[in-house]
Amino acid sequence: QVQLVESGGGLVQAGGSLRLSCTCSGFIFSIHFLSWYRQAPGKQRDLVASITSGGSTNYADSVKGRFTISRDNAKNTVDLQMNSLKPEDTAVYYCNTKTRASLGLWGRGTQVTVSS
């Protein structure tokens, strides 16, 4: 059974940092393209950051220079380090594979709230 479980969210003041983690199981983690997405209230789910099986990364313009995605193939985890957080970063954050995202399969996500 494929599972991606997000954790690490919380309430933080603007300018603060959080580190999200996604623990994966049920599939061959090391070969998959993985991404973090977020969905703010009343808005569509957007792609935040991605990492290939080889470790190449890509970021949404809104988070470049502030967020860093990384993966640990030994632990089957993909993390998102978020620095210099802004109130507009408030959202539910999800990790996913490209395939599951295209099929509309999502986990519970983790809530990030940034206060001004």
Side-chain angles (χ1 to χ4, degrees), residues 98-116:
K98 186 183 292 187
T99 299
R100 286 175 56 84
S102 68
L103 293 172
L105 300 173
W106 297 92
R108 292 185 176 183
T110 186
Q111 175 72 49
V112 171
T113 303
V114 184
S115 63
S116 57

Side-chain angles (χ1 to χ4, degrees), residues 30-34 50-58 69 71 73:
S30 61
I31 65 172
H32 276 271
F33 181 99
L34 293 157
S50 298
I51 187 165
T52 69
S53 58
S56 297
T57 59
N58 193 40
I69 188 171
R71 66 191 296 159
N73 289 339

Side-chain angles (χ1 to χ4, degrees), residues 3-62:
Q3 285 191 316
L4 297 94
V5 180
E6 303 91 348
S7 63
L11 173 64
V12 64
Q13 288 189 331
S17 298
L18 280 175
R19 188 176 183 89
L20 307 183
S21 188
C22 177
T23 301
C24 306
S25 61
F27 63 98
I28 304 173
F29 178 87
S30 61
I31 65 172
H32 276 271
F33 181 99
L34 293 157
S35 300
W36 281 94
Y37 301 78
R38 67 185 180 188
Q39 187 168 23
K43 295 189 176 181
Q44 66 180 22
R45 188 178 281 127
D46 290 328
L47 180 65
V48 174
S50 298
I51 187 165
T52 69
S53 58
S56 297
T57 59
N58 193 40
Y59 299 91
D61 288 343
S62 58

Side-chain angles (χ1 to χ4, degrees), residues 61-109:
D61 288 343
S62 58
V63 306
K64 277 181 183 176
R66 301 189 297 123
F67 290 12
T68 303
I69 188 171
S70 61
R71 66 191 296 159
D72 186 332
N73 289 339
K75 296 181 179 179
N76 284 9
T77 57
V78 54
D79 290 354
L80 186 69
Q81 177 66 42
M82 306 186 296
N83 299 328
S84 303
L85 282 161
K86 305 175 181 179
E88 51 264 44
D89 294 320
T90 295
V92 179
Y93 284 71
Y94 304 86
C95 67
N96 218 345
T97 66
K98 186 183 292 187
T99 299
R100 286 175 56 84
S102 68
L103 293 172
L105 300 173
W106 297 92
R108 292 185 176 183

